[in-house]
Amino acid sequence: MHKRTLTALLSTAALAAAPVALAQSVRLTDNAVRVGVLTDLSGVYSELSGQGSVRAAQLAVQDFVAANPSYRGRVQVVGVDHQNKADVASNKAAEMIDRQNVDMLVDLPTSSAALAASEVARQKKIPVMVVTGGTTALTNEKCNKYTFHYAYDNYMLANGTGTAVTKRGGNSWYIIYPNYAFGQDLNKQMIAAVTENKGRTVTASDATPFPNTDFSSYLLKAQGLKPKVFGTMQAGADLVNVVKQYNEFGLRQQGIGLGIGLLFETDVAALGQDAFAGALATVPWYWNLDQRSRDWAAKFEKSFGKKPTFAQAGVYSATMTYLQAVARARSDDGDAVVKALEGHRFSDFFARSAYIRPQDHRVLLDVYTVQVKSKAQAKENGDYYTRVSTIPAARAFQPLTESKCKF
């Protein structure tokens, strides 16, 4: 099977053999619902999303069909690589919708790719659940009727981590960020959070190439500036490189703390948790949050061979939320599903106290500020975080009064 176009058919039954009960009660185009996982299958975000996100969507379909047997053989998952490039994401999204008859798109790591695919979906009137892209533009100036922002966004990250670090005494920052939509937006959001909590930046932030492997010039600059916090807004493999070099340059021993914009479990695993120990981050979920999360994570690990990241858990939750909306709408028509999603309240193992805000399609949910444990503090493999606080859904995300979204 080609790596960049992975199609997982959950049933080999012919589509023409639709169950009579379903055919009579639900209107499905092509007699099927097709979930499109548009993701990074080959680049810097492939470990944290990638094939794991495709598998998470498949598990959601399996569980949905088990609870709704009239859909048996009628729900499929298609996984496609967007290579973290906006032009590729745009072309692949159009191809998935027009040629593979995909009814929704999900995942979308890399904000520029998410924005590009969101625009295609708007034109085609297909719902999009952005889980791994972080830019708040998706629910502001670039919002549209068919795009929903799930899991996290840059406002939530900065509101949680920027506030917590600054209030703990980290009140002078030097920030670097990857020079594309996600990094530019997170830099802006983090500066706002720091200054709102009476902190400051010691100099203008520096944009870095994306992707990048050598951050030595920025670390040398930090040594000269001597901020209390070296803020890195990188993600995935770029973040791993930054933190590795931060430790090699001995900034921690020089009294310069580490401020992380976006942290995934795979980043901690890549370097070992001692490299991140003591750092604060804000996450929408982690696998050992509670027993409900542990139970789902064990099921995922048994199926995929690795513990899930929050992005992969979010893809499961978003896929299930979409399919349940299809069931409520009794149709996979884009407009009907959007109507079924707007204003929906729910709580699953991933999204607690969740509410889909109809005005801008921000999915509100409880989130958590966590501190990375040292290896000595961990009780088992993958036990990375101590929960510092829970930020309720109503306070975790940008208030509606500040949103620039109009659709």
Side-chain angles (χ1 to χ4, degrees):
M1 185 175 293
H2 197 284
K3 185 176 182 181
R4 291 182 176 175
T5 306
L6 182 151
T7 302
L9 302 181
L10 295 182
S11 169
T12 56
L15 297 183
V20 173
L22 178 65
Q24 290 176 342
S25 60
V26 180
R27 291 180 293 107
L28 300 180
T29 53
D30 305 319
N31 289 324
V33 182
R34 294 183 175 86
V35 173
V37 184
L38 187 53
T39 187
D40 174 8
L41 291 172
S42 56
V44 296
Y45 301 143
S46 57
E47 278 295 308
L48 63 90
S49 56
Q51 296 285 4
S53 289
V54 177
R55 188 65 192 129
Q58 292 171 338
L59 289 174
V61 170
Q62 288 178 355
D63 289 346
F64 174 78
V65 171
N68 300 271
S70 61
Y71 285 82
R72 193 174 306 282
R74 302 293 137 189
V75 190
Q76 306 170 5
V77 175
V78 178
V80 171
D81 188 6
H82 65 26
Q83 303 173 43
N84 297 313
K85 298 176 180 176
D87 58 338
V88 175
S90 181
N91 291 334
K92 291 296 182 183
E95 183 178 299
M96 292 169 80
I97 296 167
D98 292 339
R99 298 182 185 178
Q100 297 177 281
N101 298 320
V102 158
D103 297 297
M104 69 88 78
L105 298 173
V106 68
D107 201 7
L108 282 308
T110 310
S111 291
S112 52
L115 288 166
S118 169
E119 175 57 22
V120 173
R122 183 191 66 79
Q123 296 169 6
K124 307 288 185 181
K125 299 184 177 181
I126 294 296
V128 180
M129 296 283 206
V130 177
V131 174
T132 317
T135 178
T136 53
L138 289 161
T139 50
N140 282 278
E141 60 271 23
K142 297 294 185 181
C143 74
N144 66 64
K145 175 182 175 181
Y146 298 94
T147 296
F148 296 81
H149 204 175
Y150 222 86
Y152 81 101
D153 64 25
N154 289 346
Y155 181 97
M156 165 272 220
L157 297 175
N159 181 49
T161 306
T163 299
V165 172
T166 306
K167 285 187 173 180
R168 286 182 171 215
N171 56 6
S172 63
W173 289 58
Y174 165 52
I175 297 174
I176 63 171
Y177 62 92
N179 196 18
Y180 73 99
F182 161 76
Q184 294 158 2
D185 183 53
L186 183 53
N187 173 58
K188 182 178 68 175
Q189 300 288 351
M190 191 64 75
I191 291 173
V194 169
T195 54
E196 191 170 302
N197 287 281
K198 304 186 186 314
R200 65 186 179 89
T201 53
V202 298
T203 190
S205 303
D206 281 319
T208 69
F210 172 75
N212 190 36
T213 56
D214 182 5
F215 295 92
S216 58
S217 62
Y218 309 104
L219 293 160
L220 288 169
K221 185 174 179 178
Q223 287 179 323
L225 291 168
K226 301 186 185 308
K228 290 184 178 177
V229 181
F230 175 67
T232 168
M233 304 300 110
Q234 279 69 22
D238 276 14
L239 174 66
V240 169
N241 282 322
V242 171
V243 176
K244 180 181 179 183
Q245 292 163 37
Y246 165 87
N247 284 298
E248 290 172 347
F249 276 69
L251 265 65
R252 190 196 308 271
Q253 290 74 21
Q254 297 168 43
I256 302 173
L258 183 63
I260 297 174
L262 174 60
L263 181 64
F264 285 94
E265 299 87 338
T266 45
D267 305 327
V268 182
L271 281 184
Q273 59 198 94
D274 283 343
F276 293 85
L280 296 176
T282 305
V283 297
W285 181 85
Y286 54 101
W287 72 269
N288 56 350
L289 172 66
D290 56 17
Q291 191 57 48
R292 196 177 180 191
S293 297
R294 282 177 171 272
D295 290 346
W296 183 84
K299 182 177 179 180
F300 179 90
E301 186 173 8
K302 183 178 180 181
S303 174
F304 189 62
K306 299 178 182 178
K307 286 184 169 57
T309 65
F310 78 67
Q312 292 156 351
V315 167
Y316 175 101
S317 177
T319 301
M320 181 63 78
T321 297
Y322 165 79
L323 291 173
Q324 290 173 342
V326 170
R328 291 195 302 276
R330 308 180 77 80
S331 170
D332 61 354
D333 173 75
D335 288 301
V337 175
V338 165
K339 186 176 180 181
L341 287 168
E342 289 179 334
H344 181 56
R345 294 183 184 275
F346 63 102
S347 187
D348 62 18
F349 79 91
F350 176 86
R352 310 293 172 87
S353 311
Y355 171 58
I356 302 177
R357 197 159 60 188
Q359 294 90 344
D360 61 355
H361 291 180
R362 175 63 248 177
V363 180
L364 308 180
L365 65 159
D366 294 345
V367 303
Y368 313 95
T369 299
V370 297
Q371 187 168 37
V372 181
K373 295 179 180 179
S374 67
K375 184 66 176 176
Q377 293 173 313
K379 296 178 180 176
E380 59 184 301
N381 183 38
D383 178 23
Y384 295 145
Y385 302 144
T386 297
R387 190 192 325 183
V388 174
S389 65
T390 298
I391 306 175
R395 291 197 291 108
F397 295 91
Q398 182 185 46
L400 185 59
T401 53
E402 297 178 13
S403 176
K404 301 179 179 65
C405 178
K406 295 186 186 300
F407 58 71

